[in-house]
Every structure is written in structure tokens, then in C-alpha cells.
Amino acid sequence: MFATLSRQLKNHPALIPLLFFISGGTAMSLMYLARLALRSPEVSWDRNNNPEPWNKMAPTDQYKFYSASIDYSKLKKNGPDY
Amino acid sequence: MQQRTTRLIRIGIDYHLRMAEVIEEKIKNYRTAPFDARFPNTNQTRNCFQNYLDFHRCNKALSDKGQDVAPCDWYQRVYKSLCPLSWVGRWDEQIESGSFPGKI
């Protein structure tokens, strides 16, 4: 497969930027999916040892990218401990 | 050693009493469910379910420890604000019949 690819690229060198952009885009999408799967607090891979990972967030953790009106540094835990 | 133990026990009791006062104050001034950083998006389904679970877990934990279950009312106020009544009715029936799917 790589032999075919390098032969095609040597014959049509204008295809090289295309290769970069397509592989870059694919890599970025896969990395985003992997980040969502592994680092999102809504995903639980191990139901016995980590059943509710969102409960491990501190009240001041910001989950969204941009927060217009909520000042996260002032938040505290809402309910009583038990 | 005994003085230190007694002091630690008293600190623990103080914490619970003060926390109970704070929660009583919060319940008295309750208007609606406050912002919860764990559930920042529009879909608040899990917020509703989590508070329902927390209410029942809090009741179970505090009554097992022999303490007053009044602080758990905070969770009840929140889930009553958030959850549709039909869901709450269905879950209550499931708890009574023993078929509730969540872990309490």
C-alpha cells in the first residue's frame, strides 16, 4: 500500500498537501473521540470500581469550554455530606 | 490520648451540627435547584436522577448512622424541582416493589 502511495506521490507531487490535510483531519477527529471516551466525566468504563465519575468533579471544575455568566471560582457543594 | 479522642469526637459533632444548620438555612431559603457544575448542559436528566439517588442514599446512610435525616431534604427539594412527576411516581413505585434499577 505504501509502495503504491509513494509511486503515486512521485508521479503527482501536488497530491502531497492533500495527504497532509486529510491525515491531519482524520488524526484530529480520532484524537477528539479518544479524549471524549477517556477523559469525559460522563463516561464510565468500569462499572464496579468507577460507577459515577461525574461525582468526582469538584464544584469549581469547569466542564464546558467557555462560560459566559457562571463564575466557577465561587461555587460550592450544594447538598449535605453523608 | 483520651482528651484528644474526646476533642476529635466533639469536632466531628460540631461539624455535623453546623452543617445541619447551614443546610436548614439553605432549605428555608430555597427557591429552585441551583447550578450544578457536574451537569452544565441543557439536558438535566442526570441531575434529576442523581439527586433522587442522593436523597435515598442520604436517608439510608444517615439513618444507619442513627443521625437525623433532615439534611437530606435538600436533595428532595432539588429533585422535586427538576424531575417530571411521572418519573418520580414510577421510581417510587419501583422502590416499593424492589425493582428500582439505581444503586441505593
Side-chain angles (χ1 to χ4, degrees), chain A residues 35-77:
Chain A
R35 177 188 144 94
L36 274 185
L38 300 170
R39 303 260 307 201
S40 161
E42 304 200 0
V43 173
S44 164
W45 288 97
D46 185 0
R47 225 182 326 160
N48 296 324
N49 297 334
N50 190 16
E52 293 176 354
W54 54 87
N55 279 334
K56 300 202 165 66
M57 288 168 66
T60 52
D61 277 348
Q62 181 169 336
Y63 174 42
K64 298 177 87 156
F65 181 67
Y66 174 63
S67 148
S69 55
I70 312 275
D71 183 0
Y72 276 80
S73 56
K74 295 203 173 47
L75 294 179
K76 290 190 290 277
K77 180 170 191 254

Side-chain angles (χ1 to χ4, degrees), chain B residues 10-25:
Chain B
R10 225 178 291 143
I11 291 176
I13 296 177
D14 278 344
Y15 168 73
H16 280 292
L17 286 178
R18 219 166 301 140
M19 191 183 68
E21 283 171 10
V22 164
I23 291 293
E24 210 180 294
E25 190 68 28

